Amino acid sequence: MTEAPHLSNDAPEGDWADRMEQTVLDAALGLAPRTGWNSRMVRAACEACGLSLGDEELLLPNGARDLAALLSRRHDDRALAELAKVEAKSLKMRERIAAAVSARMEAGAADLEATRRCAAFLALPTNADLGLKLAWESADQLWNWAGDTATDWNHYSKRAILSGILIPALTMRWFDGREAAEAFVAARIENVMAFEKWKAGKDFDAPLKKAADVLSRMRYGAKAQ
């Protein structure tokens, strides 16, 4: 087998690294159903791509965690490619979110056996931080597609809520099937819409404004009104 170019090669490192990451990920997807999502899979995938151990450590310093992130982002890209065929503005907001979550679930289902192994890996306590980060990234991209333009605290609350839907929804899709996952998502979207209706018109910035006013008076000695 011809050895792959090393990171010290004259080719632009970013271009080579990006291409090789995807090549290794492709190899890992074929191996994961047999090996699980672990360091053994990473080494075997890198060997299949002609990478030395040194190159593996430079390309994927966090090993299986790096490949898990690459897979999640590939699924995000795949979902967005499908959603690009949909005119979001033609849908009600609840329909947009349902379509977005469904597209993200089906994007991962295309690599179902490997995705299951990756999901089990991310469910480990040592990888929970990464799983939450990736869910937030996915939620952010889906809300952006849906047309969310909030820049205040709503920006974060919407992504936190959708992350809380995505994690169990994706898990259900991988292990319980599409029908169960879609039913779960439909019920949770009703909850989100109810929350949006409840908070409408409420001034959630008021406590912060009041605290800032009190601190200002304390600093500058102004009398309370």
Side-chain angles (χ1 to χ4, degrees), residues 20 26 33 37 47 62 83 94 135 139 154 158 182 198 205 213 220:
M20 187 53 66
D26 288 338
W37 202 272
E47 284 183 348
N62 298 302
L83 290 170
R94 71 176 64 219
N154 285 290
K158 287 179 178 180
E182 295 281 7
W198 171 80
D205 291 333
D213 184 51
Y220 295 109

Side-chain angles (χ1 to χ4, degrees), residues 95-197:
E95 294 172 334
R96 297 181 201 180
I97 299 305
V101 175
S102 179
R104 182 59 180 80
M105 291 193 299
E106 295 314 301
D111 306 306
L112 186 56
E113 291 306 318
T115 299
R116 284 174 173 167
R117 303 316 189 270
C118 186
F121 172 80
L122 290 173
L124 295 173
T126 52
N127 300 318
D129 62 323
L130 178 59
L132 291 172
K133 178 178 183 293
L134 295 174
W136 180 279
E137 287 183 6
S138 298
D140 182 48
Q141 296 205 55
L142 297 182
W143 268 118
N144 289 341
W145 171 82
D148 177 59
T149 58
T151 57
D152 57 6
W153 80 279
N154 285 290
H155 173 91
Y156 301 98
S157 66
K158 287 179 178 180
R159 281 145 185 80
I161 291 170
L162 188 53
S163 295
I165 294 174
L166 271 176
I167 292 173
L170 293 175
T171 301
M172 291 185 73
R173 177 62 184 88
W174 312 151
F175 297 99
D176 298 322
R178 183 171 185 172
E179 185 177 348
E182 295 281 7
F184 170 83
V185 171
R188 298 294 80 74
I189 288 176
E190 288 299 323
N191 292 345
V192 172
M193 293 300 107
F195 174 72
E196 290 293 321
K197 183 177 180 180

